[in-house]
């Protein structure tokens, strides 16, 4: 998996160099794919290094899922429901309720999270979303929208 990430990252860097990259002050169309490709390749290298240093003791790792062998679908279902809630609330409710909903519902997919932890995480991420997307980037999605 790590090698695939490195290859895709290097491919994105190569594809980005076909366009004008520019500088940080005046980014060209090739800057974004080249930068993301570099980050992806770096992430792949870090994953490969961590996998190599862990020794590969996968046989001792506990098996996820239910005791009777069925897979645990709670996480995937909560993430899908969170995305659907974000779509609906982003359109009808605004950025703040949509962000709160996606984080809260998705956090409930982890069985180790409590309602209080999911609530605190949702509030924190909502504050970050308001600061980054609404205030700093001035995203054209209102904080609240009724209807």
């Amino acid at each position: 998996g790590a090698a695939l990430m490195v290859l895709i990252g290097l491919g994105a860097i190569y594809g980005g160099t076909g366009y004008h990259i520019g500088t940080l002050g005046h980014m060209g169309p090739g800057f974004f794919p080249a930068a993301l490709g570099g980050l992806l390749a770096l992430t792949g290298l870090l994953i490969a290094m961590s996998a190599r240093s862990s020794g590969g003791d996968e046989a001792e790792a506990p098996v996820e899922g239910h005791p009777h062998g069925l897979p645990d679908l709670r996480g995937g279902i909560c993430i899908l429901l969170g995305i659907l809630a974000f779509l609906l609330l982003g359109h009808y409710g605004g950025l703040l309720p949509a962000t709160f909903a996606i984080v809260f519902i998705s956090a409930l997919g982890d069985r180790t999270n409590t309602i209080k932890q999911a609530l605190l995480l949702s509030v924190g991420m909502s504050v970050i979303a308001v600061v980054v997307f609404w205030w700093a980037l001035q995203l054209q999605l209102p904080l609240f929208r009724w209807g």
Side-chain angles (χ1 to χ4, degrees), residues 4-81:
L4 184 61
M5 288 177 69
V6 170
L7 285 175
I8 292 172
L10 291 175
I13 292 171
Y14 178 74
T17 58
Y19 299 101
H20 177 67
I21 292 184
T23 64
L24 283 176
H26 299 293
M27 295 179 203
F31 187 88
F32 191 68
L36 280 182
L39 288 174
L40 185 63
L42 177 67
T43 303
L45 287 173
L46 292 174
I47 290 172
M49 289 186 327
S50 71
R52 185 170 173 85
S53 67
S54 70
D57 293 334
E58 293 151 1
E60 297 176 15
V63 177
E64 295 286 328
H66 294 290
H68 44 76
L70 294 175
D72 189 10
L73 299 176
R74 179 178 174 168
I77 290 171
C78 284
I79 289 172
L80 288 175
L81 289 176

